[in-house]
Every structure is written in C-alpha cells, then in structure tokens.
Amino acid sequence: MSKSLVREIIAAANHIGFLATIDNGAPRVRPIDMYIDDKDNFLTATFANSKKVKQLKECKLVEMCFYDGKEQLVRISGEIEFISDRGQKEDFARLNPHVNNDFQGVDDPYYTLLRLCPKKVEFMKTGDYKYITVDW
C-alpha cells in the first residue's frame, strides 16, 4: 500500500473527510476538508473560535475517515498540532482555495491552521473487511 493511493482516495473524496474529536467524554464528528502537502503533512484550516478548536485544545487525539464514494476508504489516527508559522499558513492558502474565501488573509486572527500528525494510516477496500497499514 502506498502514499499515492491514500492521496488518490482523499482527492476522490474531494478532500472531504470526517474528523472525530472528544467533547466532555463524548465523540463529536464533523466533515472537514483536509489536504496533503508536498511534505506529506495532513493539513486543514478552521476558525479559532470554533467548538472544534476548543475540543482540540482539550484533547489533541483525533481520527479522520475518507471514503472515495466507490469502494475504498482511508482512516488516519493521530494528534493535532496547531501551526502558527505565517509561511506555512501562506503555503496552505495556496494549496486550499477555500482559505481565501473563508478568511481575510493569513493574518486573519480567526485563521487557524491544523496539522494532523498521523500515528496510524490505514486503507480498506469495501468488501475486504481488513485494514492494511500504510507506512507514513
């Protein structure tokens, strides 16, 4: 299993996956857009005042799931890291066209860049019922 297949599945899902967090001991899941940069980082942007950011500050452990709409899915579990570096925020704004629609530039105080640092990346083809670990 390769990183390129993971990239293909995420692209086929239009970069939309489901992020699970914990809020007061209860799971919370929501769709988010996630991109992989040229250094194999999983990145997303969100609003600093969102419930998601509050939850992530309390517990950085997350899981993401992407489904290509046909027969393949990817699960990524790990920890979230908050990125404040302006250069990385600029790079991500070029990678993700939604950033420029949602925020007033990279200095917007609400623009929060998140990196998912994977501890485990898994792939499964529907019907196989067996996950295959992808070296990341």
Side-chain angles (χ1 to χ4, degrees):
M1 198 51 44
S2 69
K3 291 181 179 182
S4 63
L5 181 58
V6 171
R7 287 176 175 275
E8 288 173 21
I9 293 168
I10 292 173
N14 291 320
H15 300 275
I16 303 296
F18 293 88
L19 176 71
T21 60
I22 300 293
D23 184 24
N24 294 320
R28 298 288 181 244
V29 178
R30 84 276 291 144
I32 66 165
D33 59 341
M34 179 72 70
Y35 289 79
I36 305 174
D37 70 10
D38 58 359
K39 295 178 183 124
D40 293 330
N41 292 308
F42 295 95
L43 300 165
T44 191
T46 191
F47 291 89
N49 60 346
S50 70
K51 290 180 182 178
K52 172 178 35 206
V53 166
K54 179 183 176 288
Q55 293 161 8
L56 292 169
K57 286 182 177 179
E58 292 174 7
C59 179
K60 294 182 181 188
L61 298 175
V62 299
E63 183 166 273
M64 287 276 316
C65 186
F66 295 90
Y67 177 62
D68 70 359
K70 299 174 195 160
E71 59 182 34
Q72 302 175 112
L73 63 92
V74 170
R75 293 172 66 153
I76 306 160
S77 57
E79 291 189 29
I80 288 292
E81 179 180 290
F82 290 82
I83 306 298
S84 58
D85 180 78
R86 191 175 197 284
Q88 290 181 38
K89 285 182 158 186
E90 288 173 343
D91 290 344
F92 185 69
R94 285 189 288 276
L95 182 66
N96 180 349
H98 301 291
V99 170
N100 295 320
N101 296 331
D102 293 342
F103 303 100
Q104 302 297 313
V106 297
D107 295 319
D108 186 325
Y110 292 106
Y111 175 21
T112 301
L113 181 60
L114 305 173
R115 175 186 298 132
L116 171 50
C117 304
K119 298 231 185 267
K120 191 173 201 178
V121 178
E122 299 174 298
F123 160 83
M124 184 175 76
K125 188 171 182 173
T126 306
D128 287 351
Y129 306 109
K130 182 180 177 187
Y131 284 97
I132 299 167
T133 301
V134 179
D135 290 329
W136 206 265

